[in-house]
């Protein structure tokens, strides 16, 4: 097997590892590409290609994350990870860990960790690396890595909800939610939402957004029940998709360009959070991106005229 062939076999693992450390599709892809360049330029072939590449991509990701954390402190509004439609790496033996770790809720918890804690946790708890491999990847002793993982586990455990719905329950609830949203059924939406539900959007200051998070079932139901039917009047459509392993939807303009995404966080049989990403910088990997400002202006003009078909899903 050539070096290029070995690399392509490992690419899904490398991307999945980098994405969990960085929370960014673009930055993860860049880290994987840089790892390939270093692998290709190496004077000698490493004893373990997998070990070399995982160590290389981890160290690149740690460096990128350190600089990214400074930028995220200056980010306008809430910061969410870039939406991921499918995880390229699959391992039946660790399916539960892989699925849980890519959710938006888990990635936001990972944001609370230091770069070294985050990398050590991802390597050990998500991908099952031995502590000797973790130590090599992050450049610390095994004892230090054990402490990093212990601290990370505690932070992750303390921030997790006490009960989450199974996949079938999530999908059934999501179907009812998006049907009610499409129809502008405020009462139907309210019945699906947790009392303390939050509606939060990430626009990065580059797309229209709510002035602040909406909290509470009544407020969230009213906003969703009025806003999306209004958007349907300018022929915005949506397709339900699994995003970051959770039920969600991708919204598109009349030309099929991506407008935003929504992801539902289901806890205790209710929707506990609705998170939207409208920042165009985070949507380009999903396809051509819509001009959200132009659509917002058109929607406001249409609302004043009062004409309209409802927002419809793409089946």
């Amino acid at each position: 097997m050539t070096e290029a062939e070995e690399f392509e076999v490992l690419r899904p693992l490398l991307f999945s590892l980098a994405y969990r450390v960085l929370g960014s599709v673009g930055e993860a892809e860049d880290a994987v590409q840089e790892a390939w360049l270093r692998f290709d330029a190496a004077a000698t072939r490493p004893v373990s290609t997998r070990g070399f590449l995982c160590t290389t991509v981890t160290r690149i990701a740690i460096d990128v994350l350190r600089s990214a954390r400074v930028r995220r402190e200056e980010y306008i509004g809430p910061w969410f990870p870039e939406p991921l439609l499918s995880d390229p790496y699959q391992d039946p033996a660790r399916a539960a860990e892989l699925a849980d770790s890519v959710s938006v809720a888990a990635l936001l918890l990972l944001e609370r960790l230091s770069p070294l804690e985050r990398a050590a946790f991802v390597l050990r708890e998500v991908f099952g690396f031995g502590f000797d491999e973790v130590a090599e990847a992050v450049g610390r002793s095994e004892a230090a890595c054990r402490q990093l993982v212990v601290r990370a586990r505690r932070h992750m455990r303390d921030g997790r909800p006490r009960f989450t719905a199974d996949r079938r329950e999530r999908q059934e609830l999501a179907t009812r939610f998006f049907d009610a949203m499409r129809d502008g059924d405020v009462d139907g939406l309210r019945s699906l939402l947790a009392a303390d539900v939050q509606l939060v959007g990430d626009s990065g200051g580059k797309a229209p957004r709510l002035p602040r998070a909406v909290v509470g079932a009544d407020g969230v139901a009213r906003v969703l029940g009025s806003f999306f039917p209004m958007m349907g009047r300018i022929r915005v459509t949506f397709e339900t998709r699994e995003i970051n392993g959770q039920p969600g939807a991708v919204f598109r303009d009349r030309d099929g360009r991506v407008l935003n995404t929504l992801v539902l966080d289901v806890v205790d049989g209710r929707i506990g959070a609705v998170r939207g990403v409208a920042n165009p910088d985070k949507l380009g990997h999903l396809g051509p991106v819509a001009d959200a400002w132009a659509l917002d202006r058109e929607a406001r003009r249409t609302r004043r005229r009062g004409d309209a078909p409802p927002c419809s899903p793409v089946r």
Side-chain angles (χ1 to χ4, degrees), residues 45 52 61 74 79 82 94 119 124 148 155 207 217 307 312:
R45 194 157 182 167
F52 175 87
E74 302 171 350
W79 180 94
E82 292 183 12
R94 304 196 65 79
R124 176 64 181 174
L148 288 171
H155 287 303
D307 41 21
S312 60

Side-chain angles (χ1 to χ4, degrees), residues 18-281:
Y19 177 77
R20 285 165 173 82
V21 175
L22 293 166
S24 165
V25 172
E27 289 176 347
E29 290 175 340
D30 289 345
V32 172
Q33 182 61 24
E34 177 62 25
W36 158 250
L37 293 175
R38 296 186 189 184
F39 178 54
D40 186 48
T44 60
R45 194 157 182 167
V47 174
S48 168
T49 299
R50 179 180 182 274
F52 175 87
L53 286 171
C54 287
T55 293
T56 301
V57 84
T58 298
R59 293 186 179 184
I60 292 169
I62 289 171
D63 289 342
V64 172
L65 184 59
R66 283 173 173 149
S67 62
R69 288 169 75 91
V70 175
R71 296 195 304 273
R72 290 172 191 177
E73 289 174 358
E74 302 171 350
Y75 196 80
I76 298 175
W79 180 94
F80 293 153
E82 292 183 12
L84 184 68
L85 297 188
S86 62
D87 187 356
Y89 180 70
Q90 302 296 323
D91 180 357
R94 304 196 65 79
E97 292 87 349
L98 290 167
D100 179 64
S101 63
V102 83
S103 71
V104 174
L107 290 170
L108 290 176
L109 287 176
L110 286 170
E111 281 290 304
R112 302 179 184 180
L113 307 180
S114 72
L116 286 179
E117 287 173 341
R118 183 166 182 166
F121 180 87
V122 168
L123 288 165
R124 176 64 181 174
E125 299 297 297
V126 178
F127 292 96
F129 281 51
F131 276 109
D132 57 334
E133 297 173 295
V134 177
E136 175 66 22
V138 303
R140 296 291 188 273
S141 68
E142 289 189 38
C145 288
R146 290 180 187 275
Q147 289 302 311
L148 288 171
V149 173
V150 167
R151 289 198 299 269
R153 282 177 186 156
R154 182 169 61 249
H155 287 303
M156 295 295 288
R157 182 179 62 247
D158 292 346
R160 289 176 187 272
R162 62 184 179 85
F163 172 77
T164 56
D166 62 29
R167 185 186 183 92
R168 180 177 178 182
E169 181 182 356
R170 291 200 308 264
Q171 292 302 328
E172 290 176 349
L173 196 62
T175 297
R176 293 164 59 197
F177 172 88
F178 286 113
D179 284 347
M181 188 183 68
R182 174 199 64 208
D183 297 336
D185 181 358
V186 175
D187 289 336
L189 286 167
R190 188 184 296 112
S191 70
L192 304 174
L193 303 174
D196 58 351
V197 63
Q198 294 189 31
L199 171 63
V200 190
D202 172 351
S203 73
K206 298 181 178 183
R209 67 181 179 93
L210 295 167
R212 63 183 64 84
V214 181
V215 180
D218 287 341
V220 172
R222 286 197 300 271
V223 170
L224 292 175
S226 62
F227 178 73
F228 287 102
M230 177 187 70
M231 294 302 290
R233 296 166 186 170
I234 56 172
R235 298 203 295 273
V236 168
T237 60
F238 68 88
E239 54 183 321
T240 56
R241 296 289 302 268
E242 188 171 90
I243 300 175
N244 288 85
Q246 304 295 311
V250 178
F251 290 76
R252 300 180 185 274
D253 69 6
R254 62 170 65 87
D255 297 317
R257 294 173 297 190
V258 179
L259 176 62
N260 73 315
T261 63
L262 278 187
V263 178
L264 309 182
D265 191 7
V266 180
V267 182
D268 284 341
R270 290 287 187 272
I271 295 169
V274 183
R275 299 185 178 97
V277 174
N279 185 341
D281 294 344

